[in-house]
Amino acid sequence: MLVWSRGPKLVVQGIFLLVFGVLVLAPFVVVAAAAFAGSWNGVLPSDPTVAHVKEALSGDELASIAVSLQTAFLGGLLAVGFGTWAALASRAATPGLARLTDALHHLPIAVPSVVVGLSLLVAFSRPPLLLNGTKWIVVIAHLVLMVAFTYGTVTAALQRTDDVYADVAASLGASSARVLWKVRLPMLRPAIVSSAGLSIALSMGEVGATIMVYPASWRTLPVGVFALTDRGQTFTAAAESLVLLAVTVVLVVGLDRLRGRAAG
């Protein structure tokens, strides 16, 4: 951007493409190659096969895909609900309470996800709220981690909106619930849809907190990839990673189209 001469500009672009290719693209290419490799004893894989992909799409691995999708949608949508409500409440709160709300909702970003998982495990392993061993502790872990993104996105959108529309609706006799439903939420719809897409996409890849709390009957796909890698089944883990990447890309593209319609 700051280089105007053609020669140095080409050099900078070449360095950028080289760094981007080695650090970002190359790992994805290697995982895709490993997913279809029968063996890999040299520089390149050999004995190409689709057996690993078939294994990733059958049995417990297929069930893990369904578990990841359910967890992502439940956790993501709950995060959208809580985050949007908190952002609206913070907008109407006193400055001191708004700052406290900001700090509390951004706390999960500052804390390692493993710590979040361990905290939930300790908190919900005893009565009166016993959730350890159920799928709901996994959903709550994802909710806690994703709500900050929803809160931040909706709060930023609220700062760009003008309260005059809500004030006019209220002055014409609309109830608070009607102002919220007919004025505020439609104005925030693009931000809400965008935060839902971001939360679901991040939830699909979450592993740090999940691995601390998941029961055997509710194993997500990223946890399955971690377990396979830990057992040395790298090719099957690569196939599952490829499936996870494909499912996440389809979700992100679909949700991005929804966001475009909401913005239109």
Side-chain angles (χ1 to χ4, degrees), residues 8 25 31 36 39 45 52 59 112 120 126 129 141 168 184 186 197 199 207-208 214 218 231 256:
L25 290 182
V31 166
F36 294 100
S39 60
H52 307 306
L120 294 173
R126 297 175 183 277
L129 195 53
V168 168
R184 290 200 181 276
S199 297
V207 68
Y214 83 99
W218 198 258
R231 294 199 297 266
D256 188 63

Side-chain angles (χ1 to χ4, degrees), residues 214-258:
Y214 83 99
S217 59
W218 198 258
R219 189 188 68 173
T220 63
L221 195 55
V223 173
V225 172
F226 177 83
L228 287 170
T229 306
D230 196 45
R231 294 199 297 266
Q233 300 179 24
T234 308
F235 293 155
T236 307
E240 286 204 14
S241 299
L242 201 60
V243 172
L244 176 62
L245 178 63
V247 172
T248 305
V249 168
V250 170
L251 281 175
V252 169
V253 171
L255 292 168
D256 188 63
R257 295 189 66 177
L258 284 178

Side-chain angles (χ1 to χ4, degrees), residues 70-80 139-140 142-143 146 199 203:
Q70 293 177 64
T71 304
F73 275 95
L74 282 171
L77 294 180
L78 286 173
V80 168
V139 173
I140 290 173
H142 285 231
L143 161 65
M146 306 310 157
S199 297
S203 178

Side-chain angles (χ1 to χ4, degrees), residues 64-87:
S64 293
I65 299 174
V67 166
S68 283
L69 287 171
Q70 293 177 64
T71 304
F73 275 95
L74 282 171
L77 294 180
L78 286 173
V80 168
F82 278 101
T84 302
W85 172 79

Side-chain angles (χ1 to χ4, degrees), residues 125-178:
S125 293
R126 297 175 183 277
L129 195 53
L130 182 58
L131 297 177
N132 188 11
T134 71
K135 69 178 181 181
W136 294 110
I137 194 170
V138 182
V139 173
I140 290 173
H142 285 231
L143 161 65
V144 171
L145 291 171
M146 306 310 157
V147 73
F149 298 101
T150 298
Y151 176 82
T153 303
V154 177
T155 298
L158 272 172
Q159 291 173 348
R160 297 192 297 270
T161 60
D162 196 338
D163 288 337
V164 67
Y165 300 103
D167 295 339
V168 168
S171 67
L172 294 175
S175 64
S176 299
R178 189 172 179 81

Side-chain angles (χ1 to χ4, degrees), residues 9-74:
K9 191 174 183 178
L10 289 176
V11 172
V12 171
Q13 290 176 345
I15 293 174
F16 171 77
L17 290 176
L18 179 63
V19 172
F20 185 82
V22 171
L23 297 182
V24 178
L25 290 182
F28 289 109
V29 173
V30 170
V31 166
F36 294 100
S39 60
W40 199 329
N41 299 317
V43 177
L44 297 175
S46 57
D47 305 324
T49 177
V50 295
H52 307 306
V53 177
K54 287 183 177 178
E55 187 178 352
L57 294 172
S58 62
D60 291 342
E61 283 68 26
L62 184 61
S64 293
I65 299 174
V67 166
S68 283
L69 287 171
Q70 293 177 64
T71 304
F73 275 95
L74 282 171

